[in-house]
């Protein structure tokens, strides 16, 4: 009997460990990709960013051949463009699939030499029909031509609700698609929808490979997980995947584009964590790392040949308030007063966070639009400078009075709340502590609580049940439309306005922004939104941040025009087709 | 003995079945699911519901369990939710990688530890004994990841003598010599951990035996010390060590998460954490099952070896444990 107990206890320990691990950890991956967004914010102009980007090598001429090894800390999931929803798979997609349209450095839709479309779409006078012309020489990696049928199939599949594609919301405004001939098609919308051009920035899938799979089974197909069965269309093709270790791509022998890639082979090596990645970069095992921890920037810079690109990227972080009383222990949301929210914005030392935590990889944000983009309201948005006196004054004006323990009280409610964030993200951990301290200085008790990502999303974010959160949005689409985040049409669980924020005036402006096609007019609307939202503050916008990219610049080369563009989603691979390795 | 074995094996099957039920319930009780990971905020909740339905995740837990166990009985461990990859394709290479690493470290530490412990037991409080104490303290106290990073700094980055991490160089996959080079650092780290325990166990076990009456008798008979130690004491001293080894067996498969992470070793420890974060129920279930089987087999093996090493131990109907 003695031994039976032994293994029972061994098992119990194991099972408990399993549950503990499942219940309390969150990978870096979750923290970084925590918030892919169906929303859209232009990352337009390359705004003067504090970057010391590796200079191009003016002396060098592009060279063919060689291998580029890139490190990442998450494995890919599936490269089937219909289901892509994680960074590693997105990287692979960017290299092996040709997109219908691409983006230029200023985040404008572009028909590049490597895009499937031959020219920019023709938009009808009613702004509801887009005519698209394809290149006639584009081919799949199995040699079949890429036709208008492939484009129609891709769009129809994504917008079919049975498929469960995460991209459905970008295409659900389509009414019908008409194939006019092999290389021309018309897309008709149900309504005027100004962000639509960015829905055309999309990878196309091969109809001849996928058309016979029932929609519900698509996610289970081998396409996207088996290199041999993943027919693609980009400069490189996927050749190998060893799960958890590496995936490799090689030049596509059937590549149709006039410009061919210089680099023969690109290997993505998967590391267990970011620190291990940095070691490998320093040792020379890899030549490029897509994101290095902020704490390691100095060490990497010191090493000969290594450069760090420190530009802010298409993502921002914020504190979101909950306006629904029942989400608080005493059934009272302390955030309802506009002055109270403004006071919190004044109380937070945002510049200090940028300087000390982000170490130059970020900049202040005052609205949901990236600084320097065409929708950016600039100075029209209120910039809340760190001013705790002003904060205290505003809190007093809103009726908060110091309680016995120094914490403010109003109508018998203490100003105390839980600030949730996802554990495992060291940046958010640090920032949450700064927030706690800053708020304590003005008499507000914020208790930071790190949570496992999956649990958090399931129990708090999706149902909109939390007092306040510290989170970020990654803007995968350069359009500024963010109706689904801020409009009262999109309350949980059906929408992403998880703080239950209501502002009818803004609700209308978001719709107006979607229905105005003229870019100058649209810009005015978003600037107005930016201004109003910075006053009303459903969020305190903290900062735009970037993922510092490290490059071994003695090995990886590009011309100035082809340098990585941090402000774009997957911009760290911008124009990789033109890069070369020494 | 045969009857005993059959009884034990039958019990084991029943226990394994109960373990799967318990684990399945526990894993599903953890909040958040695979589709939450798949979706993340910002993506249409409908897409998540459709996926959950397509994957059968909207069915009651007992139905999902029934499907899983039904598959298992047919030898199918299931598929991942994220990308529908057969669990076996993910699991077996990882188990293999971990066994390579852990077995190397385990064997190396045994080869060093048992003779060292025995030697120390005959020369209590000598230089070697103190040295082994020092190594043990080091092994117990030093966090393995920290020690691993130190070794990497010196041997891989500063002096460039050994590879930094991974199992193979990218262009030398499957090359035995290359594997050996990659093993040096992680095995050093891991064996120090194992060694720390095994030296202590074998020393104290040996000391206990050496203090017993029959050893004194043997010595009194005028037997040479070597014969006393190796012929009379060793067999008995090995019994507790065998128990420890049997109980340690699951570690060989379970892996050492931190060491695997530091050295980027694609093993089970890392896999388990990755899969727990992703809520990949089938993979988690399979890992638990494999480790449970090894735990049971390890115990059984320890029992059998007991009997082999010590004839006084007998198993049979009504027979108790030693």
């Amino acid at each position: 009997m003695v031994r039976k107990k032994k293994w029972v206890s061994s098992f119990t320990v194991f099972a408990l460990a399993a549950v503990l691990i499942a219940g309390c950890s969150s990978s870096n991956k979750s923290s970084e990709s925590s918030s892919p967004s169906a929303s859209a914010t232009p990352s337009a102009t390359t705004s003067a960013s504090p970057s010391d980007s590796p200079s191009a090598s003016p002396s060098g001429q592009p060279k063919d051949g060689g291998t580029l090894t890139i490190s990442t800390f998450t494995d890919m999931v599936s490269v089937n463009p219909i289901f892509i929803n994680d960074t590693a798979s997105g990287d692979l997609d960017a290299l092996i699939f040709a997109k219908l349209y691409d983006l230029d450095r200023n985040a404008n839709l572009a028909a590049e030499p490597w895009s499937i479309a031959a020219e920019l779409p023709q938009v009808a006078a009613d702004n509801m029909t887009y005519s698209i012309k394809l290149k006639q020489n584009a081919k799949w990696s199995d040699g079949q031509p890429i036709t208008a049928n492939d484009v129609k199939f891709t769009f129809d599949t994504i917008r079919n609700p049975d498929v469960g594609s995460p991209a459905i919301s970008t295409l659900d405004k389509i009414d019908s698609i008409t194939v006019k001939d092999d290389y021309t098609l018309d897309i008709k919308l149900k309504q005027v929808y100004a962000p639509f051009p960015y829905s055309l920035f999309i990878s196309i899938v091969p109809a001849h490979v996928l058309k016979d799979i029932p929609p519900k089974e698509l996610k289970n197909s081998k396409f996207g997980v088996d290199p041999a069965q993943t027919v693609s269309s980009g400069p490189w093709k996927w050749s190998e995947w060893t799960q958890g270790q590496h995936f490799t791509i090689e030049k596509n022998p059937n590549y149709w584009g006039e410009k061919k890639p210089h680099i023969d082979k690109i290997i993505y090596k998967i590391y267990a964590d970011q620190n291990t990645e940095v070691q490998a970069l320093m040792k020379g095992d890899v030549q490029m790392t897509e994101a290095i921890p902020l704490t390691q920037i100095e060490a990497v810079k010191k090493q000969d040949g290594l450069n760090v690109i420190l530009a802010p990227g298409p993502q921002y972080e914020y504190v979101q308030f909950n306006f629904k009383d029942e989400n608080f222990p005493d059934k009272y949301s302390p955030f309802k007063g506009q002055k109270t929210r403004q006071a919190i914005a004044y109380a937070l030392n945002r510049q200090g966070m940028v300087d000390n935590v982000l170490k130059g990889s970020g900049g202040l944000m005052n609205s949901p639009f990236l600084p320097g983009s065409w929708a950016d309201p600039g100075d029209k948005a209120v910039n809340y400078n760190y001013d705790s006196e002003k904060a205290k004054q505003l809190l007093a004006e809103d009726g908060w009075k110091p309680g016995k323990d120094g914490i403010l009280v109003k109508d018998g409610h203490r100003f105390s709340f839980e600030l949730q964030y996802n554990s495992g993200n060291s940046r958010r951990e640090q920032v949450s502590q700064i927030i706690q301290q800053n708020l304590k200085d003005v008499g507000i008790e914020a208790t930071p609580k790190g949570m496992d990502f999956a649990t958090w999303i399931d129990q708090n974010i999706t149902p909109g049940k939390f007092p306040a959160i510290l989170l970020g949005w990654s803007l995968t689409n350069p359009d500024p439309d963010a109706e689904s985040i801020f409009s009262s049409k999109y309350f949980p669980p059906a929408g992403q306005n998880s703080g239950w924020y209501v502002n009818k005036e803004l609700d209308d402006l978001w719709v107006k922004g979607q229905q105005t096609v003229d870019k100058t007019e649209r810009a005015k609307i978003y600037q107005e939104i930016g201004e109003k939202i910075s006053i009303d503050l459903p969020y305190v916008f903290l900062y735009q941040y970037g993922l510092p990219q490290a490059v071994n610049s003695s090995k990886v080369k590009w011309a100035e025009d082809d340098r990585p563009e941090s402000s774009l989603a997957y911009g760290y691979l911008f124009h990789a087709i033109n890069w070369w390795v020494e | 003995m045969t009857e005993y074995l059959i009884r034990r094996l039958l019990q084991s099957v029943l226990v394994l079945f109960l373990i799967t039920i318990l684990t399945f319930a526990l894993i599903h009780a953890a909040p958040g699911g695979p589709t939450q990971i798949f979706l993340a905020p910002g993506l249409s909740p409908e897409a998540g519901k459709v996926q959950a339905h397509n994957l059968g995740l909207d069915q009651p837990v007992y139905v999902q369990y029934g499907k899983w166990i039904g598959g298992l009985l047919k030898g199918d461990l299931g598929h991942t939710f994220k990308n529908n990859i057969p669990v076996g394709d993910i699991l077996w290479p990882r188990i293999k990688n971990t066994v390579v690493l852990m077995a190397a470290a385990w064997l190396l530490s045994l080869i060093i530890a048992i003779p060292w412990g025995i030697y120390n037991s005959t020369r209590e409080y000598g230089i070697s004994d103190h040295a082994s104490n020092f190594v043990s303290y080091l092994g117990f106290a030093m966090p393995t990841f920290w020690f691993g990073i130190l070794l990497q700094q010196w041997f891989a980055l500063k002096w460039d003598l050994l590879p930094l991490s991974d199992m193979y160089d990218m262009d030398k996959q499957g090359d035995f010599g290359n594997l050996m080079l990659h093993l040096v650092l992680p095995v050093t780290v891991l064996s120090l951990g194992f060694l720390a325990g095994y030296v202590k166990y074998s020393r104290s076990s040996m000391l206990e035996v050496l203090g017993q009456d029959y050893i004194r008798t043997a010595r009194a008979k005028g037997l040479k010390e070597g014969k006393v130690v190796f012929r009379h004491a060793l067999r008995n001293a090995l019994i507790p060590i065998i128990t420890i080894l049997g109980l340690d067996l699951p570690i060989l498969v379970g892996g050492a998460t931190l060491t695997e992470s530091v050295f980027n070793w694609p093993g089970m420890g890392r896999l388990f954490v990755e899969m727990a974060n992703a809520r990949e129920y089938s993979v988690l279930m399979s890992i638990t099952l494999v480790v449970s089987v090894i735990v049971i087999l390890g115990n059984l093996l320890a029992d059998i070896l007991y009997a082999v090493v010590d004839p006084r131990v007998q198993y049979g109907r009504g027979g108790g444990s030693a």
Side-chain angles (χ1 to χ4, degrees):
Chain A
M1 285 321 286
V2 175
R3 273 178 301 282
K4 192 179 275 181
K5 269 184 200 144
K6 246 180 272 161
W7 69 251
V8 167
S9 62
S10 311
F11 166 70
T12 314
V13 167
F14 186 81
L16 279 177
V19 172
L20 282 178
I21 291 170
C24 65
S25 67
S26 173
S27 65
N28 283 324
K29 175 196 169 179
S30 337
S31 56
E32 288 306 346
S33 63
S34 64
S35 29
S37 158
S39 86
T41 292
S43 38
T45 55
T46 11
S47 66
S49 50
S51 89
D52 31 341
S53 87
S55 57
S57 62
S59 54
Q61 280 299 312
K63 243 169 77 174
D64 283 345
T67 301
L68 167 64
T69 310
I70 301 177
S71 78
T72 166
F73 60 97
T74 49
D75 200 355
M76 52 157 294
V77 175
S78 161
V79 76
N80 183 344
I82 292 169
F83 296 107
I84 283 181
N85 192 25
D86 66 285
T87 312
S89 309
D91 286 351
L92 185 53
D93 165 72
L95 298 168
I96 71 168
F97 278 97
K99 289 184 152 59
L100 183 57
Y101 288 95
D102 284 275
L103 297 179
D104 67 12
R105 191 174 289 283
N106 298 325
N108 296 312
L109 202 67
E112 300 279 12
W114 43 86
S115 313
I116 293 170
E119 54 189 55
L120 285 173
Q122 304 262 324
V123 187
D126 64 358
N127 287 315
M128 280 164 53
T129 306
Y130 289 70
S131 298
I132 294 167
K133 262 205 171 69
L134 309 185
K135 292 196 177 104
Q136 305 207 357
N137 61 338
K139 281 196 184 72
W140 295 107
S141 53
D142 62 3
Q144 298 280 322
I146 300 176
T147 67
N149 273 322
D150 292 311
V151 178
K152 179 176 160 56
F153 174 79
T154 304
F155 280 57
D156 285 344
T157 305
I158 291 176
R159 64 200 191 96
N160 178 350
D162 286 345
V163 172
S165 165
I168 188 168
S169 58
T170 63
L171 299 180
D172 60 4
K173 306 283 193 303
I174 294 177
D175 179 54
S176 62
I177 301 172
T178 320
V179 171
K180 302 183 94 172
D181 62 51
D182 275 359
Y183 301 101
T184 328
L185 71 161
D186 282 354
I187 299 179
K188 196 167 181 301
L189 301 184
K190 294 173 192 161
Q191 64 192 68
V192 176
Y193 183 61
F196 188 71
Y198 287 120
S199 306
L200 304 173
F201 169 53
I202 188 173
S203 294
I204 301 302
V205 296
H208 67 283
V209 177
L210 298 175
K211 66 177 189 312
D212 296 328
I213 303 173
K216 286 184 182 180
E217 292 298 314
L218 258 176
K219 190 153 188 286
N220 293 336
S221 93
K222 289 277 170 228
F223 179 87
V225 291
D226 180 355
Q229 297 188 42
T230 306
V231 173
S232 64
S233 53
W236 291 276
K237 59 178 281 202
W238 188 21
S239 58
E240 198 193 342
W241 183 21
T242 308
Q243 274 151 35
Q245 298 179 56
H246 55 89
F247 48 91
T248 304
I249 61 174
E250 279 162 25
K251 265 189 188 174
N252 172 1
N254 276 333
Y255 186 55
W256 45 273
E258 280 161 35
K259 279 198 172 183
K260 308 287 184 203
H262 295 301
I263 301 172
D264 270 352
K265 194 170 175 182
I266 301 178
I267 300 170
Y268 270 83
K269 280 195 67 180
I270 300 148
Y271 285 88
D273 63 53
Q274 287 182 301
N275 293 323
T276 322
E277 265 185 280
V278 172
Q279 302 253 51
L281 180 77
M282 291 178 134
K283 166 100 172 160
D285 289 354
V286 300
Q287 289 92 50
M288 193 158 112
T289 298
E290 55 188 281
I292 55 171
L294 295 165
T295 47
Q296 306 254 29
I297 289 176
E298 289 311 314
V300 173
K301 274 186 183 168
K302 268 189 211 147
Q303 184 109 346
D304 280 349
L306 294 186
N307 265 314
V308 178
I309 304 176
L310 262 184
Q315 53 264 95
Y316 69 88
E317 221 141 51
Y318 56 86
V319 173
Q320 182 178 8
F321 304 119
N322 205 311
F323 293 90
K324 203 172 186 180
D325 287 330
E326 66 185 50
N327 292 315
F328 293 81
D330 54 357
K331 309 283 173 223
Y332 174 83
S333 167
F335 302 118
K336 284 189 177 157
Q338 196 188 64
K339 282 186 178 171
T340 299
R341 301 194 294 275
Q342 290 171 346
I344 290 175
Y346 279 118
L348 299 183
N349 186 357
R350 300 184 301 149
Q351 190 61 53
M353 297 172 196
V354 171
D355 295 343
N356 299 320
V357 180
L358 300 183
K359 300 191 195 299
S361 64
L364 289 182
M365 281 279 287
N366 295 317
S367 75
F369 311 121
L370 291 187
S373 68
W374 59 266
D376 176 23
D379 293 341
K380 280 194 230 159
V382 186
N383 182 20
Y384 294 88
N385 290 315
Y386 178 45
D387 186 345
S388 49
E389 287 314 308
K390 182 109 188 221
K392 283 179 192 162
Q393 180 201 326
L394 283 167
L395 286 164
E397 285 173 25
D398 213 19
W400 293 97
K401 295 191 175 63
K404 275 178 247 159
D405 56 356
I407 301 299
L408 297 170
V409 176
K410 182 175 166 181
D411 306 329
H413 300 280
R414 267 178 101 238
F415 205 153
S416 170
F417 66 91
E418 185 177 274
L419 179 66
Q420 300 176 348
Y421 63 97
N422 54 316
S423 51
N425 180 325
S426 61
R427 184 184 58 246
R428 273 179 205 148
E429 219 148 86
Q430 287 182 55
V431 168
S432 73
Q433 282 159 13
I434 297 174
I435 293 173
Q436 180 182 31
Q437 188 56 49
N438 285 163
L439 292 182
K440 198 177 160 209
D441 292 343
V442 298
I444 299 171
E445 184 178 75
T447 315
K449 186 181 180 193
M451 299 180 72
D452 161 61
F453 185 68
T455 310
W456 191 38
I457 298 304
D458 183 32
Q459 313 231 303
N460 302 101
I461 309 294
T462 310
K465 286 182 190 166
F466 54 83
I469 54 172
L470 172 63
L471 188 58
W473 286 111
S474 290
L475 308 167
T476 50
N477 175 333
D479 196 273
D481 178 35
E483 188 200 17
S484 66
I485 299 175
F486 294 105
S487 167
S488 58
K489 270 200 283 191
Y490 294 95
F491 283 148
Q496 300 156 54
N497 181 356
S498 54
W500 309 90
Y501 172 64
V502 185
N503 183 325
K504 290 291 171 207
E505 200 187 356
L506 282 170
D507 285 359
D508 295 341
L509 280 172
W510 287 114
V511 174
K512 199 171 153 197
Q514 285 178 356
Q515 298 187 345
T516 306
V517 174
D518 181 87
K519 201 166 175 180
T520 324
E521 286 301 307
R522 259 196 106 192
K524 277 188 201 152
I525 296 167
Y526 289 105
Q527 286 166 15
E528 193 184 344
I529 292 177
E531 188 185 340
K532 293 205 149 85
I533 218 163
S534 77
I535 295 170
D536 204 34
L537 290 178
Y539 291 1
V540 172
F541 299 94
L542 297 175
Y543 43 76
Q544 176 192 11
Y545 64 98
L547 305 175
Q549 178 182 358
V551 182
N552 187 330
S553 51
S554 57
K555 300 244 169 73
V556 190
K557 306 281 183 183
W558 46 67
E560 182 56 22
D561 285 349
D562 300 317
R563 69 178 192 280
E565 180 51 61
S566 306
S567 63
L568 298 174
Y570 304 114
Y572 87 96
L573 292 171
F574 191 71
H575 287 194
I577 188 172
N578 292 335
W579 299 359
W580 70 98
V581 287
E582 292 288 346
Chain B
M1 185 76 176
T2 319
E3 191 194 337
Y4 167 79
L5 274 180
I6 292 169
R7 201 149 38 96
R8 278 288 295 265
L9 286 172
L10 284 178
Q11 278 173 357
S12 304
V13 172
L14 178 71
V15 165
L16 276 177
F17 177 66
L18 293 175
I19 287 172
T20 60
I21 291 182
L22 181 64
T23 319
F24 205 86
L26 283 172
I27 290 175
H28 281 259
T35 50
Q36 256 81 37
I37 305 289
F38 173 70
L39 274 178
L43 296 167
S44 122
E46 292 81 28
K49 274 186 205 139
V50 173
Q51 282 309 343
H53 178 73
N54 291 354
L55 295 169
L57 287 164
D58 54 352
Q59 289 168 333
V61 176
Y62 62 86
V63 176
Q64 294 185 45
Y65 176 78
K67 277 191 180 165
W68 180 81
I69 198 98
L72 184 72
L73 292 175
K74 283 182 248 154
D76 175 14
L77 292 174
H79 291 71
T80 57
F81 294 117
K82 263 190 190 166
N83 43 22
N84 199 46
I85 292 180
V87 172
D89 289 6
I90 296 179
L91 212 56
W92 304 129
R94 295 296 193 104
I95 291 182
K96 203 183 78 202
N97 296 345
T98 287
V99 167
V100 166
L101 174 67
M102 302 301 275
W106 195 60
L107 286 176
L108 182 72
S109 56
L110 277 183
I111 291 170
I112 300 173
I114 294 184
W116 197 0
I118 294 168
Y119 178 83
N120 289 348
S121 69
T122 58
R123 287 168 182 75
E124 248 185 302
Y125 307 117
I127 296 175
S128 162
D129 203 10
H130 286 302
S132 84
N133 267 336
F134 178 72
V135 171
S136 296
Y137 290 140
L138 216 61
F140 280 128
M142 195 156 50
T144 53
F145 68 92
W146 182 71
F147 184 43
I149 290 170
L150 273 189
L151 292 183
Q152 284 179 326
Q153 290 294 334
W154 292 331
F155 291 93
L157 290 171
K158 210 168 169 190
W159 301 324
D160 202 15
L161 293 171
L162 289 165
L164 178 77
S165 53
D166 307 316
M167 232 177 129
Y168 297 102
D169 288 339
M170 279 309 298
D171 50 352
K172 293 194 179 126
Q173 302 287 321
D175 177 305
F176 184 72
N178 196 253
L179 172 68
M180 286 294 132
L181 278 180
H182 282 85
L183 274 170
V184 175
L185 293 184
V187 162
T188 307
V189 171
L190 285 168
S191 8
L192 187 72
F194 283 128
L195 192 70
Y198 293 153
V199 175
K200 290 247 155 228
Y201 289 133
S202 49
R203 176 185 179 273
S204 63
S205 164
M206 201 63 190
L207 271 176
E208 201 183 313
V209 175
L210 285 175
Q212 283 178 8
D213 287 347
Y214 75 95
I215 296 290
R216 226 171 299 146
T217 314
R219 281 189 178 135
K221 277 198 309 191
L223 277 183
K224 281 192 180 141
E225 188 62 17
K227 225 170 184 180
V228 171
V229 171
F230 290 103
R231 171 106 12 119
H232 293 264
L234 186 58
R235 265 177 89 119
N236 288 325
L238 280 178
I239 296 174
I241 299 173
I242 284 170
T243 315
I244 301 286
L245 296 185
L247 294 179
D248 271 359
L249 208 59
I251 300 178
L252 293 191
V253 180
T257 310
L258 282 173
T259 311
E260 286 182 356
S261 295
V262 169
F263 292 98
N264 209 43
W265 196 271
M268 286 287 281
R270 266 174 67 192
L271 181 73
F272 190 80
V273 176
E274 283 163 30
M275 294 294 134
N277 281 326
R279 304 290 195 270
E280 282 291 359
Y281 300 150
S282 313
V283 187
L284 292 175
M285 284 303 296
S286 303
I287 295 177
T288 317
L289 192 68
V290 168
V291 175
S292 307
V293 169
I294 305 276
V295 170
I296 290 173
L297 288 181
N299 277 277
L300 194 58
L301 199 67
D303 286 350
I304 295 170
L305 286 177
Y306 245 63
V308 173
V309 178
D310 184 351
R312 286 175 300 173
V313 180
Q314 282 188 350
Y315 298 119
R317 189 176 297 276
S321 49

